[in-house]
């Protein structure tokens, strides 16, 4: 059975989600409250605590008891969804191991921090103040993303793709891959918004379109 919890926006300034078993979804909310949705099973539990303005979310299970097959079962079709209203202006920390982090359709003046081990970080049709995305082996995919201040994306072996639906004149682009390929637009602007992309062996591709 799905669990749904709502939190008034004035009670939450920081959101911390750390998941090893679930895909993390962050989407735009339809109402004025922060909404959290997840589904637990007998083997897999989600712990949620709101204290001093910080909403902390963790999932856990005794995965070692079930072996590889049991671990696959624990993760299968498991998702945790966070809905953020447009008025939210706090900070969001997202952390995953090998599950995907998806941020889709978000429209709020928040600070976003997402980190994964090998899971993909996928941000699409989103607008926020500042974003920092890090992955060791997973790809970082930023599609139709607008920031008001800056975006930073860093990988070790994963690839980075970034497309912004604005003019390159609005951005200052700083990209570097030690052993990978960088594919950049012919025109580079010197705008106030910063895009910083770093990878050790992964490829980096950036484009702009109005």
């Amino acid at each position: 059975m799905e669990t749904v919890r709502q939190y008034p926006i004035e009670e939450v300034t920081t959101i911390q989600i750390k998941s090893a078993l679930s895909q993390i979804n962050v989407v735009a909310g339809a109402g004025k409250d922060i909404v959290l949705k997840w589904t637990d099973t007998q083997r897999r539990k989600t712990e949620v605590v709101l204290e001093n303005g910080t909403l902390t979310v963790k999932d856990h299970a005794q995965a070692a008891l079930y072996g590889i097959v049991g671990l696959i079962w624990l993760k299968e079709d498991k998702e945790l969804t966070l809905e953020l209203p447009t008025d939210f202006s706090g900070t969001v920390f997202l952390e995953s191991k090998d599950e995907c982090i998806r941020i889709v359709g978000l429209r709020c003046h928040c600070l976003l921090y997402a980190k994964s081990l090998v899971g993909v970080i996928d941000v699409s049709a989103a607008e926020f103040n500042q974003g920092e995305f890090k992955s060791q082996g997973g790809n970082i995919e930023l599609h139709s993303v607008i920031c008001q201040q800056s975006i930073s994306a860093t990988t070790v072996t994963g690839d980075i793709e970034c497309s912004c639906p604005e003019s390159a004149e609005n951005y200052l682009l700083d990209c570097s891959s030690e052993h990978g390929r960088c594919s950049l637009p012919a025109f580079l602007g010197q705008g106030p918004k910063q895009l910083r992309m770093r990878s050790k062996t992964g490829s980096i591709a950036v484009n702009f379109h109005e």
Side-chain angles (χ1 to χ4, degrees):
M1 179 180 295
E2 184 181 59
T3 300
V4 179
R5 291 188 184 175
Q6 298 185 8
Y7 303 89
I9 192 173
E10 61 271 13
E11 294 184 4
V12 181
T13 57
T14 303
I15 300 171
Q16 298 179 338
I17 299 179
K18 186 174 183 179
S19 177
L21 303 169
S22 303
Q23 174 176 298
I24 302 173
N25 303 313
V26 181
V27 300
K32 294 185 176 297
D33 291 337
I34 295 170
V35 180
L36 193 64
K37 301 178 181 179
W38 74 89
T39 301
D40 284 335
T41 67
Q42 290 183 345
R43 301 182 182 184
R44 175 183 169 279
K45 303 296 182 184
T46 301
E47 178 184 357
V48 180
V49 177
L50 175 59
E51 185 175 4
N52 297 325
T54 299
L55 181 62
T56 304
V57 184
K58 296 180 180 179
D59 61 12
H60 54 87
Q62 295 181 341
L65 298 177
Y66 307 108
I68 295 176
V69 175
L71 183 59
I72 293 173
W73 184 89
L74 283 170
K75 294 182 177 184
E76 186 178 9
D77 297 327
K78 300 299 186 293
E79 298 188 9
L80 187 150
T81 299
L82 173 68
E83 297 180 2
L84 291 179
T86 56
D87 292 338
F88 182 72
S89 58
T91 305
V92 181
F93 296 92
L94 310 170
E95 185 173 349
S96 175
K97 290 186 178 180
D98 55 355
E99 297 300 299
C100 179
I101 296 176
R102 297 180 67 249
I103 302 170
V104 180
L106 195 63
R107 291 286 188 274
C108 63
H109 297 287
C110 63
L111 305 181
L112 279 174
Y113 298 89
K115 178 181 178 181
S116 76
L117 186 61
V118 295
V120 174
I121 299 176
D122 182 358
V123 187
S124 300
E127 183 173 353
F128 44 83
N129 272 12
Q130 180 177 320
E132 184 174 320
F133 310 103
K134 295 182 179 181
S135 180
Q136 290 191 31
N139 292 344
I140 298 177
E141 302 173 0
L142 311 173
H143 301 296
S144 191
V145 172
I146 297 175
C147 73
Q148 298 305 321
Q149 296 179 10
S150 65
I151 295 176
S152 172
T154 305
T155 68
V156 178
T157 60
D159 296 334
I160 300 173
E161 295 182 25
C162 179
S163 66
C164 298
E166 293 186 303
S167 170
E169 294 180 351
N170 296 337
Y171 290 85
L172 179 62
L173 183 58
D174 179 11
C175 292
S176 176
S177 179
E178 291 185 28
H179 303 287
R181 179 181 178 183
C182 288
S183 177
L184 307 179
F187 173 80
L188 298 179
Q190 294 182 330
K193 303 180 182 183
Q194 296 185 1
L195 290 181
R196 185 178 187 273
M197 311 288 163
R198 291 286 187 273
S199 183
K200 190 170 184 66
T201 62
S203 63
I204 299 174
V206 179
N207 65 80
F208 300 91
H209 52 89
E210 295 185 76

